[in-house]
Amino acid sequence: MKVLFYGRLAEAIGPELEMGATPGCSVASVRDSLIASHPEIESMLRKRRALTFIGGQLVRDDHLLTGDDTLEFLPPVSGG
Amino acid sequence: MSIVARLEQGALRPDEELAALVEQVSGDGAIVSFVGLARAQSTSGAGIDMLVLDHHPSLTQKSVEEIAVAAEQRFEVSHVRVVHRCGEVLAGQPIVFAGAASRHRRAAFEAADYLMDRLKTEAVFWKREIGDDGSNWIEPTDADYADRERWS
């Protein structure tokens, strides 16, 4: 599974990661795995205004993933 | 009626955007426009050389469009024009043009105000200030969020 990052998340760990997430796992579990391997981004991923998208659609933590999904983690936006 | 919502990779020319808006208007009595500039000082007073606006390949454009459409629907305006820079913007250079045209002035003033309050908090950008203090990510202030809440 491809995972994309933006803003200060991308600065911290790079714009893209390939993860071996199991199809059917939740967005929350992917986030927990990321935090386990990259604890420096925990505060950014857990911010109230951080967002998660799949295919251009906002998804919640309990959304279940398929193997083909590209998951995007957006830190809180700066605005214009 | 028209809505323009555009991301600009190169230089933003507010004079050209205003001229385009004037050109579109026929019969209306008012145009209000706002131009945002990259500040030369941070909130701490440190000098800033440039702003860098990172954007998302699809969600940024979508967010700017949604805000422009919402302004057109909320106020009695005939034209809305939003042009927003992305990438590197030197201090003093324009970041955003937000304009609206209406039959009478009040709607255009309110639409421009609304556009900026929403853009400042909801447009999908991640901004860094580059200057005397190095590179620093910036987020909306409490005042920005309070301004946005005025329209809820």
Side-chain angles (χ1 to χ4, degrees), chain B residues 51-67:
Chain B
L51 270 183
V52 181
L53 291 95
D54 291 351
H55 71 287
H56 184 280
S58 61
L59 296 173
T60 302
Q61 173 68 34
K62 189 176 172 189
S63 69
V64 175
E65 281 177 9
E66 284 177 354
I67 292 166

Side-chain angles (χ1 to χ4, degrees), chain A residues 13-67:
Chain A
I13 63 170
E16 183 176 333
L17 273 182
E18 198 65 40
M19 289 184 68
T22 311
C25 70
S26 69
V27 166
S29 68
V30 174
R31 181 186 294 107
D32 290 344
S33 296
L34 274 169
I35 289 169
S37 56
H38 301 278
E40 69 273 23
I41 63 172
E42 177 169 11
S43 62
M44 289 183 252
L45 284 178
R46 296 203 189 282
K47 280 197 171 185
R48 185 167 60 90
R49 296 181 193 275
L51 302 171
T52 311
F53 282 79
I54 295 175
Q57 300 298 315
L58 184 66
V59 291
R60 299 186 339 174
D61 279 2
D62 59 358
H63 181 90
L64 302 180
L65 300 157
T66 70

